Amino acid sequence: MENVLKKYEAVQMGVCYYPEHWDEALWEKDAAKMAETGVKVVRVGEFAWSRMEPTDGVFEFDWLDRAIDLFGRYGLDVVIGTPTHTPPRWLTTKHPDILPVMANGDLYQPGVRGHRCFNSRSLRSYGERLIDRLAQRYSRHPAVIGWQIDNEYGMLDSRGEQAAADFRDWLYRKYGTLERLNREWGTVVWSGEYSEWSEIVPPPASHRNENPSFLLDFARFQWDSVAQFQAWQIAAIRRHCPEHFITHNFHSYPQRLNMTEVGRGLDVAAFDYYPNTSPDKVTTGPYSGALSLDLTRGIKRRNFWIMEQLSGSPGSWFPMWRMPQPGYIRAFAWQAIARGADTVVHFRWRSANIGAEQFWHGLIDHSNVPGRRLKEFADLSAEVNRLAPKLAGTRPLVRAAILHSYEQLEALRIQAQAPGMDYYENIKAYHRALTKLGIGCDVIDAESADGLEAYDLVVAPHLYVLHEETAERLSRYAASGGTLLLTSRTGVKNSENVCVMTPLPGLLTECAGVTVREYDPLGEDVARLDTEEGGQFACSQWADILEPDDRAEVIARYGSEFFAGEAAVTRYPFGQGETYYLGTHPEESYLRQLFTQIAEAKNIPYFPELPMGVQVSLRGGGASGEPAYLFVLNLSREDKEVKLDLRADGRLRHLDGLNSLLGGGRTDRRLKLRPYGVEVLEYRPD
Ligand code: GAL
């Protein structure tokens, strides 16, 4: 076990490879080239069901044996994907219940991928039979180190008969009686009361304005369905391979899936990272990418894998994006590592010459002539392999957290609050403001994350559906010395997605030290926010008109609208800590100012002068005196000069003379980075 664990915690590079797509004569040359390129891990198998079981009950693993043996001979470790994402045609023909019924009632046909209903019993029995054989066969293979379950779950909103029956069971277990369900959901509205369980069917897509309690429960049921679909696969693998690790590759956030819940069954989370190369995304992309990476780290609250990383111009699903320019592949792989990725697996070794994804480019072009991108990847692998011993066992060191919530994501999708007000975009805004100050943060689950005392600052935007347990945990955190930041639309609903009959922020009123007297959904209209020091900022989306408690300090007021002069942002001393309440959505410069003040007050180190596009992160072992590694990344197309001035403990510290692990030599206080330039500096935080 120790050996395997070491491998999954190692900082290393990998590639995705599809032996079944290529003439076998190519395999050995490919494996040799991978080894020469510094690759340590290969992922295989996740779509290959029709080759593993070409007809019902006939299993053919010889080809996979040969491929895995070959990788082993070249010193490459292997992660096998279970192929349930693509059931073969013979199986879906025999058991059409495997195909998901989509929200519009259509059956999602085979031919693209992802044509599997998480609730299908046929998929489960055929899937278990195959995975059991796979796991048994490779349990002792020296090259195999772990498994990926399925591929990119996503949500197809399956509404087939089995899903409907499972939903009713789920509700029965939750509510016990229809009477209770009717009461909790408030179905009396519009004569929606159920008198038979069979009357409950999954919501059709056209019913966007159905009862919100019903819609939120349907989403929760779907999350559970995915977790169960994963659980039977994990059980089948663990039976034979107790020493292998198990992961899943999450993708494209925001994902309508409770990744924390699904992640519980996994040893390690993985993410498919395709930072957008389009010119209109070059400035914002690296910041949303940073959030995706932090969110993935938050799934297990530990380091993670990248299971697919951008290797060339993406296309096929849409006209192609720009080709990653020199330095791009390297810089974004380092960004992932800086934020806690250990293994980074690139998708894919070579661009496909067949099938639908011929223009989603790999490291090598169709010609099979190694080019610029493979060279960059090889240089990157050499660097990563060189630094791996230092980085092994380290993790991002952070002192702030953002609470992210699948419940809010879904509930606020079901009932959008104001034009332009988007839960995930707002999470991005808070995260971006922190990232631009070089303040690292964890992004963790609002409903389940414990251990908040480890953070000096907890930002908890829009806790709209507020569970009692969450409110208590947050109040305890603030009372015991933490700095908690709450925002508008907090405490609006109870767990059943029903509006509470108390002033807002509901269960967090005592902890916030304010109540909302009235609100105005500003939407895209822009109002003015005036700070007590005379600063003026724009705000939009929402305006809570606040009634502060006597002890609350008003730190900003509205400067326009009929509520000009009313409190908009407050700070309230609560127990040994404090709670900030932001009644509106301010422009970024206001958030920057606020976070700077909090960082100063709480001694959170930050970089006051990071240029746009430059990100820093710190990875270390956490013990004092141990070296940590400061990653400085220029994720922009321009040259940047970075003043390495860190503010901490009320003073400015110049980080010059640090040992540069990539460039060699010692850094100047002004670090010059070329477009997509990267530095990793050895640093001893004190
Ligand atoms: C991922 C998927 C891969 C490949 C890639 C490019 O979503 O897991 O198999 O399809 O995208 O589209």
Side-chain angles (χ1 to χ4, degrees):
M1 185 71 181
E2 200 160 288
N3 239 354
V4 170
L5 262 187
K6 259 203 194 116
K7 284 183 172 168
Y8 109 63
E9 288 180 346
V11 178
Q12 56 188 2
M13 305 300 285
V15 291
C16 301
Y17 190 71
Y18 298 91
E20 70 277 19
H21 295 179
W22 305 106
D23 188 327
E24 201 166 329
L26 279 172
W27 295 1
E28 180 146 12
K29 286 188 199 105
D30 286 337
K33 189 87 188 152
M34 286 173 199
E36 185 190 312
T37 307
V39 168
K40 303 286 182 198
V41 186
V42 187
R43 182 194 63 175
V44 298
E46 80 278 12
F47 301 128
W49 194 331
S50 71
R51 287 295 169 96
M52 295 176 185
E53 189 183 3
T55 53
D56 195 348
V58 176
F59 297 95
E60 288 184 6
F61 295 120
D62 292 357
W63 66 274
L64 191 56
D65 293 348
R66 291 196 297 280
I68 294 180
D69 289 350
L70 188 63
F71 291 133
R73 275 209 300 285
Y74 282 90
L76 303 165
D77 288 333
V78 174
V79 173
I80 305 177
T82 65
T84 46
H85 192 89
T86 48
R89 285 187 198 273
W90 62 258
L91 180 55
T92 53
T93 308
K94 209 169 199 167
H95 296 283
D97 71 292
I98 288 179
L99 300 176
V101 176
M102 296 190 294
N104 62 6
D106 288 356
L107 205 58
Y108 187 73
Q109 297 290 346
V112 183
R113 59 180 160 83
H115 50 281
R116 40 82 175 102
C117 167
F118 296 112
N119 301 87
S120 161
R121 300 299 189 269
S122 321
L123 179 56
R124 175 173 179 159
S125 62
Y126 279 83
E128 267 180 337
R129 185 175 73 173
L130 173 67
I131 294 167
D132 182 77
R133 278 179 168 68
L134 257 182
Q136 196 169 15
R137 192 166 190 103
Y138 297 108
S139 62
R140 291 180 194 288
H141 196 293
V144 175
I145 58 168
W147 299 79
Q148 170 189 301
I149 306 289
D150 198 77
N151 187 75
E152 297 188 339
Y153 294 134
M155 293 293 292
L156 274 177
D157 282 351
S158 180
R159 289 145 207 258
E161 272 172 36
Q162 188 62 56
D166 289 352
F167 181 40
R168 287 189 286 267
D169 274 359
W170 187 94
L171 292 171
Y172 178 75
R173 273 181 274 120
K174 179 165 180 184
Y175 296 105
T177 64
L178 274 183
E179 193 194 353
R180 172 147 177 243
L181 178 145
N182 281 323
R183 194 176 56 244
E184 302 277 9
W185 284 5
T187 53
V188 59
V189 174
W190 296 343
S191 276
E193 279 157 312
Y194 296 99
S195 41
E196 298 287 342
W197 287 97
S198 58
E199 290 162 3
I200 304 178
V201 289
S206 53
H207 283 208
R208 274 204 51 236
N209 296 318
E210 276 257 15
N211 181 312
S213 306
F214 162 58
L215 293 178
L216 184 58
D217 267 347
F218 185 64
R220 290 168 173 156
F221 152 74
Q222 291 183 300
W223 302 336
D224 285 356
S225 298
V226 176
Q228 278 168 22
F229 167 81
Q230 177 179 265
W232 60 252
Q233 300 209 25
I234 290 177
I237 293 171
R238 293 234 195 270
R239 255 199 308 277
H240 302 290
C241 312
E243 307 213 325
H244 290 169
F245 68 83
I246 300 180
T247 188
H248 170 77
N249 55 333
F250 297 98
H251 76 300
S252 301
Y253 305 154
Q255 194 48 251
R256 291 184 53 209
L257 181 69
N258 187 327
M259 298 196 296
T260 311
E261 183 186 329
V262 173
R264 273 194 198 106
L266 303 171
D267 297 305
V268 60
F271 177 59
D272 292 349
Y273 190 27
Y274 293 105
N276 200 316
T277 51
S278 316
D280 62 333
K281 291 280 166 34
V282 288
T283 24
T284 54
Y287 293 101
S288 33
L291 172 60
S292 300
L293 298 166
D294 288 352
L295 191 53
T296 307
R297 192 176 72 251
I299 297 173
K300 301 286 303 174
R301 297 183 77 178
R302 57 171 303 163
N303 285 4
F304 58 96
W305 277 40
I306 297 292
M307 198 54 96
E308 297 179 17
Q309 173 92 11
L310 179 90
S311 301
S313 176
S316 297
W317 301 89
F318 35 73
M320 287 176 247
W321 296 350
R322 295 289 303 273
M323 190 49 88
Q325 67 177 71
Y328 197 96
I329 291 175
R330 171 179 181 252
F332 282 92
W334 275 120
Q335 186 203 24
I337 295 173
R339 292 184 176 269
D342 282 340
T343 297
V344 180
V345 179
H346 278 66
F347 183 90
R348 50 193 279 166
W349 175 246
R350 185 171 38 242
S351 311
N353 288 62
I354 50 173
E357 283 201 334
Q358 292 170 38
F359 299 111
W360 193 286
H361 291 82
L363 290 167
I364 305 177
D365 286 327
H366 300 111
S367 63
N368 202 22
V369 177
R372 173 183 70 84
R373 300 195 304 286
L374 187 71
K375 166 84 174 67
E376 182 172 322
F377 174 75
D379 293 346
L380 162 69
S381 302
E383 286 175 343
V384 169
N385 290 335
R386 189 157 55 76
L387 264 56
K390 284 182 182 288
L391 295 174
T394 62
R395 60 190 159 79
L397 302 177
V398 304
R399 292 175 50 182
I402 293 179
L403 301 190
H404 167 273
S405 160
Y406 303 98
E407 294 262 303
Q408 319 310 333
L409 185 68
E410 192 61 21
L412 291 167
R413 198 189 61 84
I414 292 169
Q415 289 184 302
Q417 300 290 288
M421 185 168 187
D422 178 283
Y423 175 72
Y424 195 74
E425 286 301 320
N426 288 355
I427 293 278
K428 270 191 199 170
Y430 290 104
H431 187 269
R432 194 167 50 233
L434 289 172
T435 303
K436 287 186 177 173
L437 284 166
I439 299 178
C441 68
D442 283 343
V443 180
I444 52 179
D445 185 44
E447 276 74 39
S448 61
D450 53 13
L452 297 182
E453 315 72 55
Y455 304 105
D456 294 315
L457 167 66
V458 169
V459 180
H462 309 310
L463 295 176
Y464 165 80
V465 169
L466 184 59
H467 305 288
E468 278 176 27
E469 198 275 326
T470 310
E472 277 162 23
R473 211 157 17 88
L474 293 182
S475 302
R476 268 201 312 275
Y477 164 72
S480 60
T483 293
L484 175 66
L485 191 148
L486 301 172
T487 75
S488 66
R489 310 318 283 145
T490 291
V492 178
K493 301 265 199 151
N494 71 8
S495 302
E496 298 314 326
N497 205 7
V498 161
C499 278
V500 298
M501 204 187 260
T502 81
L504 301 184
L507 295 171
L508 280 166
T509 300
E510 198 193 326
C511 165
V514 284
T515 49
V516 176
R517 192 193 321 139
E518 196 183 347
Y519 54 68
D520 188 349
L522 294 177
E524 271 142 21
D525 292 348
V526 177
R528 214 178 73 202
L529 188 65
D530 295 347
T531 62
E532 296 299 281
E533 300 87 44
Q536 292 188 348
F537 297 89
C539 62
S540 60
Q541 298 187 7
W542 196 268
D544 276 340
I545 300 163
L546 300 178
E547 193 73 63
D549 182 279
D550 288 348
R551 291 190 308 123
E553 177 193 348
V554 176
I555 55 179
R557 293 176 188 275
Y558 294 104
S560 64
E561 304 288 334
F562 73 88
F563 38 87
E566 299 282 0
V569 183
T570 55
R571 180 187 158 274
Y572 180 65
F574 184 64
Q576 290 158 37
E578 57 184 352
T579 307
Y580 285 83
Y581 187 94
L582 261 73
T584 185
H585 188 75
E587 63 177 305
E588 188 173 299
S589 54
Y590 178 77
L591 288 180
R592 182 180 176 88
Q593 178 181 305
L594 183 67
F595 285 143
T596 304
Q597 281 165 6
I598 295 176
E600 291 280 348
K602 302 278 290 189
N603 288 333
I604 301 172
Y606 70 98
F607 289 86
E609 285 191 57
L610 278 187
M612 180 72 179
V614 172
Q615 295 184 10
V616 294
S617 337
L618 193 62
R619 245 183 102 143
S624 76
E626 264 183 42
Y629 303 96
L630 183 68
F631 292 76
V632 189
L633 306 140
N634 177 7
L635 300 172
S636 83
R637 293 180 167 207
E638 291 109 45
D639 287 313
K640 296 278 161 152
E641 189 176 281
V642 189
K643 263 208 239 159
L644 283 177
D645 286 351
L646 178 74
R647 249 193 106 88
D649 299 330
R651 59 197 171 95
L652 205 59
R653 217 180 121 189
H654 311 303
L655 301 183
D656 44 355
L658 297 183
N659 193 12
S660 155
L661 299 182
L662 293 181
R666 299 208 168 253
T667 51
D668 252 1
R669 195 176 137 202
R670 287 168 188 277
L671 191 65
K672 292 205 169 66
L673 288 174
R674 294 159 55 84
Y676 300 108
V678 178
E679 275 290 358
V680 181
L681 307 172
E682 204 160 75
Y683 169 67
R684 286 181 192 272
D686 44 27

